[in-house]
Amino acid sequence: MTRVRGRAAAVAALLAAGLLLAACGGGGGGGDDEKAYVEPKGPAQETISIEAKNFSFTPDDISSEPGIVELELVGKGGLHDLVFDDGAYPGFQLEVNGSATDAKKIDLKAGKYTFYCTFPGHRSAGMEGTLTVK
Ligand code: CU
């Protein structure tokens, strides 16, 4: 019995997913619920490079003009990532391990944003910074 019910639930979930996909198919404006990273279309006006090590970002107080920039995380030891707090730029994440580098384009809007490393304990140890866009 539970088996059948489970399958029915799975089918319902698939149907719901299909409906969601169809609903999101329009593209363009609107998609406030989207969590996946979408690369901005157009060239980056500059590259902002941030070093990550145990346990700090350098620089940790950054200014930029609005528009598309390439945000680059340069590993200087350890396993780290960079995301924005307070739901800003959902889906945007850079991650480095050891001396690796990760980079993504981001379309910056005017505002003041906090970024941090999500690995347990890293933020409280100092892996937090501010990006001011104006
Ligand atoms: Cu970290």
Side-chain angles (χ1 to χ4, degrees):
M1 281 307 189
T2 48
R3 234 193 154 98
V4 171
R5 192 180 298 162
R7 186 176 298 159
V11 169
L14 280 173
L15 285 172
L19 287 173
L20 280 174
L21 281 174
C24 291
D32 289 332
D33 295 339
E34 290 175 19
K35 290 288 192 309
Y37 170 73
V38 178
E39 182 178 57
K41 290 191 169 33
Q45 60 193 3
E46 64 171 329
T47 297
I48 297 174
S49 192
I50 304 170
E51 291 183 2
K53 66 170 191 227
N54 298 326
F55 293 95
S56 61
F57 290 113
T58 308
D60 64 0
D61 189 2
I62 301 164
S63 295
S64 177
E65 294 180 0
I68 299 173
V69 304
E70 174 136 304
L71 210 53
E72 178 184 67
L73 191 63
V74 180
K76 295 290 179 183
L79 182 60
H80 305 290
D81 67 1
L82 185 158
V83 301
F84 287 94
D85 204 2
D86 299 322
Y89 305 106
F92 185 90
Q93 181 181 31
L94 300 173
E95 185 169 324
V96 295
N97 189 359
S99 59
T101 295
D102 193 12
K104 282 189 178 80
K105 286 198 288 186
I106 185 169
D107 190 4
L108 295 175
K109 312 291 186 199
K112 188 169 184 178
Y113 306 99
T114 300
F115 60 87
Y116 67 100
C117 176
T118 68
F119 286 89
H122 288 206
R123 184 179 191 175
S124 58
M127 298 201 71
E128 187 179 80
T130 303
L131 171 62
T132 304
V133 181
K134 61 185 177 187

